[in-house]
Amino acid sequence: MAKKNGLGKGLGALLEDNDADEEFIQSATKRTSSSKKLTSSSNLPKGITADEDGTLWVDPNLLKPNPRQPRLYFDENALAELTESVKKEGVLSPIIIEDAGDGSFYIIAGERRTRASRAAGLTRVPVQLRKYSDSRKLEVALIENIQRTDLNPVEEALAYYQIMELEGIKQEDVAEKVGKNRSTVANAIRLLKLPEDMQKAVASGEISAGHARALLSVVAPADQRVLFNRILEQGLSVRQAEEQSKELNGGSRSRKKDTAKAPVVDTRDPDYIAIEKKFIEAFGTKVQMKGDFNKGSITIDYFTKDDLDRIYNRIMGEEESSL
């Protein structure tokens, strides 16, 4: 049996397919037989009005973000372009909202349109009023953003993970819900294994999802940090990052196999370990400290001439600045 592809149907069709999760407010959108204008309905929440065509309208200032909105970052340039479009054409696609119960409404889908409407000075925007479960709020927002390719890789990964947590389902179930391959969902969720600063770099576009996959392939955390610094400082391509990840792994995989039964615990002073990590970040390469605060040695590795030049300039620059 062919796999159902939700994304090919459009957001409207997707939402209409799940009647069990949605309660449509229809009384405010029915025409009377004696007039083209709608009669006001007591079932309509305060703040929402309906025109003679049955379209619901609300002041965008009454709208607030979906508590399950997967998107955390908004491109200011893209938002400015959308604002100009809204000034000229208005909001063409209704914003999907849910009554918050306090005189305001949650934005289920359409936060960019809402922000652009406010920036454009609009006093009313078209809406569709619906009700969802927490997991469905996230799912609808996720689907809309995926269709519009608005989510960065980390936001998409977080959304998949949250759906799994909320509904207690597996990756393949999430993939089925949003019309993605299981491998796509699995690879996305792997990004959440990266340290927070690396996730932020992916989210901001400083490094790509391809760079992130190269980082995830590095076995040792210290080596992963080395590669991350090189990507930032040297502007490595994804292919270069993949090649260097293999070089850094070198004997790491074999060491990992040897120590699988008896993991090596670093018993050094935590402050001493922290200093080693600072050296790794400063030089962008592998640094090993042996000894303690009273006596020891520092080994700085380099793997290319660029590494050596950078380390030399960093050390000499610091020495000169202290003179």
Side-chain angles (χ1 to χ4, degrees):
M1 183 174 67
K3 183 178 178 181
K4 182 178 179 181
N5 186 352
L7 293 180
K9 300 168 61 182
L11 180 60
L14 275 167
L15 300 181
E16 292 167 3
D17 280 347
N18 202 333
D19 293 336
D21 288 337
E22 305 163 7
E23 295 177 7
F24 294 86
I25 295 183
Q26 299 176 348
S27 58
T29 61
K30 293 180 180 177
R31 297 174 183 270
T32 63
S33 58
S34 60
S35 173
K36 290 184 179 180
K37 292 186 177 181
L38 280 173
T39 303
S40 61
S41 171
S42 59
N43 292 329
L44 198 62
K46 183 179 179 181
I48 293 183
T49 57
D51 64 18
E52 60 181 3
D53 293 323
T55 301
L56 303 183
W57 299 84
V58 70
D59 184 338
N61 291 315
L62 294 179
L63 306 183
K64 57 187 181 182
N66 175 2
R68 296 294 178 182
Q69 167 64 261
R71 181 169 34 181
L72 304 175
Y73 301 91
F74 291 83
D75 186 310
E76 293 300 326
N77 292 329
L79 193 58
E81 291 178 359
L82 180 58
T83 299
E84 289 303 311
S85 174
V86 166
K87 285 180 180 178
K88 296 176 182 178
E89 305 293 340
V91 177
L92 302 180
S93 179
I95 297 165
I96 300 173
I97 63 172
E98 180 182 54
D99 190 355
D102 59 1
S104 64
F105 304 88
Y106 288 123
I107 304 163
I108 304 303
E111 187 166 346
R112 286 180 70 249
R113 278 168 279 161
T114 302
R115 292 185 179 215
S117 298
R118 291 177 186 146
L122 299 189
T123 57
R124 68 173 195 167
V125 291
V127 296
Q128 291 182 18
L129 186 61
R130 300 184 179 182
K131 185 175 179 61
Y132 299 98
S133 64
D134 281 349
S135 60
R136 186 61 176 160
K137 282 187 182 76
L138 175 60
E139 191 178 328
V140 171
L142 174 61
I143 290 170
E144 187 205 35
N145 281 300
I146 287 176
Q147 287 181 323
R148 297 172 183 270
T149 65
D150 281 340
L151 292 181
N152 67 55
V154 175
E155 289 170 337
E156 188 172 339
L158 284 169
Y160 292 145
Y161 181 75
Q162 288 172 23
I163 290 176
M164 290 172 60
E165 290 292 296
L166 282 169
E167 299 191 3
I169 58 178
K170 298 179 180 179
Q171 291 178 2
E172 51 264 37
D173 300 318
V174 174
E176 177 69 22
K177 278 179 172 290
V178 301
K180 293 280 187 177
N181 292 327
R182 182 188 177 283
S183 60
T184 300
V185 174
N187 287 332
I189 292 175
R190 284 185 67 225
L191 294 177
L192 302 181
K193 295 181 179 180
L194 288 172
E196 185 177 354
D197 61 332
M198 296 185 193
Q199 289 187 38
K200 287 182 178 179
V202 177
S204 66
E206 204 171 0
I207 65 174
S208 70
H211 287 118
R213 287 191 290 272
L215 289 167
L216 285 164
S217 70
V218 178
V219 174
D223 290 343
Q224 187 181 69
R225 177 63 55 185
V226 168
L227 181 57
F228 178 60
N229 289 333
R230 288 183 189 171
I231 292 171
L232 294 181
E233 294 180 5
Q234 300 176 27
L236 299 182
S237 66
V238 171
R239 184 170 183 177
Q240 289 172 324
E242 290 171 345
E243 291 173 351
Q244 293 202 20
S245 70
K246 293 176 183 178
E247 292 177 7
L248 286 168
N249 277 332
S252 296
R253 287 196 175 92
S254 60
R255 286 199 302 271
K256 185 178 180 181
K257 291 179 182 178
D258 293 340
T259 58
K261 295 182 180 180
V264 177
V265 178
D266 195 336
T267 58
R268 296 175 299 170
D269 187 308
D271 291 334
Y272 193 73
I273 297 173
I275 292 174
E276 182 180 78
K277 289 182 178 179
K278 289 290 185 182
F279 277 129
I280 292 172
E281 293 175 1
F283 292 117
T285 189
K286 184 184 294 185
V287 177
Q288 291 181 318
M289 291 177 59
K290 295 181 180 179
D292 53 33
F293 284 112
N294 298 313
K295 184 179 180 180
S297 63
I298 301 174
T299 302
I300 303 174
D301 292 344
Y302 61 90
F303 302 88
T304 66
K305 185 176 184 299
D306 288 338
D307 280 348
L308 180 59
D309 289 340
R310 187 180 65 259
I311 294 167
Y312 175 83
N313 291 330
R314 191 67 57 87
I315 293 174
M316 297 305 294
E318 290 176 359
E319 286 183 352
E320 291 171 1
S321 64
S322 64
L323 293 176

